[in-house]
Amino acid sequence: MLSPMDDYPIHQVAEVIRHVETSDRNFYDRYYFNCHGPDADSPWLIIGLGVYPNLGVTDCFAVVRHRDEHIVVRASKALGADRTDLTVGPFTVEILDGLRRIRVALEDGHGDLSFDLEFVANGPAALEPRHFQRQMERVTFDTQRFVQTGLWSGRLAVDGARFDVEPGPWRGNRDRSWGVRPVGEPEPPGRRADASISGTFFWIYSVMEFSDHAIVVVVQETETGERVMDDARRVWHDPNREPEWLGHVSHEITFVPGTREAAEATLRFTRPSGAVTTVTCHPDLANFLAFGTGYGLEADWRHGMWQGDLKVSDLHLKVSELDPTMKLFCVTDHFTRFVRFDGDNEENGCGLFEFAAIGPHEQYGFTGYTDTAP
């Protein structure tokens, strides 16, 4: 199982690069990208590629929201020895210049979506706090991630319409994460099946881009509001400036009536000095990320699930016809406009507001899994 990477002095454990330190089946190594145009009428594209060393699988997906269209192309293959091989059927991820330039491509002829795009960073990659969570004896999350904003260029075709993607109007963010999180076929729950463990997943992940910096927010809460993750940082585009911690995060979410979808949100970051930064979030376009991409809604396609040596498939759905009950169990990535208030200073920005309110949550009055906002 040797690969060209084994010729470099980068080993971390007494194994070849193909094998990771832990034998946990849920170890993963993943890329995420989003790309949006100048307004809500532009396509809102999300791409992910994951490597699952202990499951022997690599898979990739692309999902685009354009008006009422929800289009997915996905592929899965057996993982070979060479972890640098970032092709999965018609998909390619190519590292052109580490932490600076990356190419992502999907060949024509695999559903109603194709692209050949280059991401060029406009700021440094910023490391986020480690994400750790244990349910009884089992570690369910132990992950590390970095995030980066940038500009896109290239070509994009969606449902017969072609877009010339140019840096400036077309921008987005990407992240890299790796570690342990639930992947692959469902596991027997064992003792946890008899335990009174809340399955609440309340999650805010936002990457807001302003003129000379980005603000990255990560919040995860239990049913009672206890924090698993709580971080907000200003990441300057100037790589010589250190990221700035903005303080404790509080949130006020306004929901679309009859759903758990965010209509608007206000986030406040309070530092020990009492200084407060406030950001209002105005979602323009929702990409219901979990439909068809492998995040767990469909039993026959999950990240890391064995699909055979190579399988490629596609979906084309109407957003207006997506199952509203399934949306209750869906992480949603919103293309969002932001307004930041620092004292008397005000600035507009745009970017990602990723949100999920799955399960009971006391602050917003959710008592079960299927009740919705009034």
Side-chain angles (χ1 to χ4, degrees):
M1 301 298 286
L2 286 170
S3 77
M5 292 296 289
D6 284 293
D7 236 351
Y8 293 87
I10 56 174
H11 294 86
Q12 303 294 306
V13 295
E15 282 283 8
V16 297
I17 290 296
R18 167 66 176 78
H19 298 308
V20 295
E21 182 272 337
T22 178
S23 62
D24 192 319
R25 70 186 293 280
N26 288 330
F27 187 89
Y28 78 103
D29 209 338
R30 183 177 294 165
Y31 295 82
Y32 165 98
F33 306 88
N34 65 48
C35 171
H36 59 80
D39 52 49
D41 198 46
S42 305
W44 176 215
L45 174 67
I46 296 170
I47 304 155
L49 183 147
V51 175
Y52 311 90
N54 296 333
L55 297 176
V57 172
T58 303
D59 54 27
C60 192
F61 72 85
V63 54
V64 67
R65 165 78 187 273
H66 187 218
R67 301 183 179 127
D68 195 38
E69 310 305 315
H70 178 94
I71 300 170
V72 178
V73 181
R74 59 198 186 184
S76 175
K77 73 172 186 178
L79 175 65
D82 187 357
R83 294 269 297 274
T84 66
D85 178 10
L86 299 179
T87 61
V88 188
F91 287 96
T92 299
V93 174
E94 183 180 3
I95 312 303
L96 302 174
D97 185 1
L99 300 183
R100 177 63 184 164
R101 296 169 52 233
I102 300 176
R103 172 178 170 253
V104 294
L106 169 60
E107 299 170 0
D108 294 332
H110 300 276
D112 296 323
L113 174 64
S114 66
F115 50 83
D116 195 331
L117 299 167
E118 182 177 328
F119 175 92
V120 177
N122 63 358
L127 202 61
E128 298 176 10
R130 192 159 175 172
H131 186 180
F132 184 89
Q133 189 173 16
R134 188 191 299 272
Q135 287 187 340
M136 299 186 70
E137 284 75 18
R138 182 64 187 271
V139 174
T140 52
F141 283 86
D142 185 5
T143 68
Q144 184 66 72
R145 178 167 57 195
F146 67 75
V147 64
Q148 190 170 35
T149 58
L151 307 177
W152 289 98
S153 62
R155 64 169 183 85
L156 169 65
V158 180
D159 197 22
R162 295 191 173 273
F163 300 87
D164 293 324
V165 176
E166 299 178 349
W170 292 81
R171 53 204 317 123
N173 70 267
R174 64 105 172 193
D175 69 53
R176 283 277 290 113
S177 65
W178 60 94
V180 170
R181 64 185 292 177
V183 296
E185 293 80 356
E187 294 182 73
R191 181 182 174 188
R192 289 182 294 160
D194 292 330
S196 57
I197 299 175
S198 169
T200 291
F201 184 69
F202 183 92
W203 174 256
I204 297 171
Y205 181 68
S206 189
V207 183
M208 319 167 182
E209 189 169 7
F210 299 98
S211 60
D212 62 354
H213 69 278
I215 292 177
V216 181
V217 182
V218 188
V219 172
Q220 183 186 345
E221 294 182 353
T222 66
E223 175 181 352
T224 61
E226 181 181 356
R227 292 288 167 89
V228 178
M229 297 283 285
D230 181 356
D231 194 68
R233 292 180 190 271
R234 193 191 316 265
V235 181
W236 302 98
H237 290 168
D238 180 352
N240 296 314
R241 298 183 70 173
E242 288 294 318
E244 174 190 356
W245 180 63
L246 295 179
H248 172 75
V249 184
S250 63
H251 52 80
E252 298 172 8
I253 310 295
T254 301
F255 292 90
V256 176
T259 76
R260 295 197 187 187
E261 299 169 32
E264 289 188 342
T266 299
L267 305 179
R268 291 185 177 86
F269 318 128
T270 304
R271 293 177 279 286
S273 65
V276 176
T277 297
T278 301
V279 177
T280 58
C281 313
H282 307 278
D284 272 345
L285 197 63
N287 190 322
F288 296 97
L289 178 63
F291 283 86
T293 61
Y295 280 93
L297 290 185
E298 293 88 11
D300 64 340
W301 195 285
R302 294 167 58 94
H303 294 153
M305 178 180 282
W306 175 244
Q307 303 286 352
D309 286 342
L310 177 65
K311 184 175 181 178
V312 182
S313 64
D314 65 278
L315 300 169
H316 191 151
L317 307 172
K318 293 291 186 182
V319 175
S320 57
E321 297 174 359
L322 296 179
D323 185 337
T325 300
M326 297 298 285
K327 285 183 180 179
L328 298 174
F329 301 90
C330 177
V331 174
T332 304
D333 282 13
H334 301 268
F335 171 59
T336 300
R337 293 172 293 108
F338 302 103
V339 184
R340 192 200 77 243
F341 303 91
D342 274 309
D344 294 330
N345 297 320
E346 177 180 330
E347 185 179 8
N348 295 318
C350 65
L352 170 69
F353 183 76
E354 182 176 271
F355 180 70
I358 301 170
H361 193 269
E362 291 182 2
Q363 178 177 343
Y364 295 108
F366 299 130
T367 58
Y369 287 87
T370 58
D371 52 326
T372 58

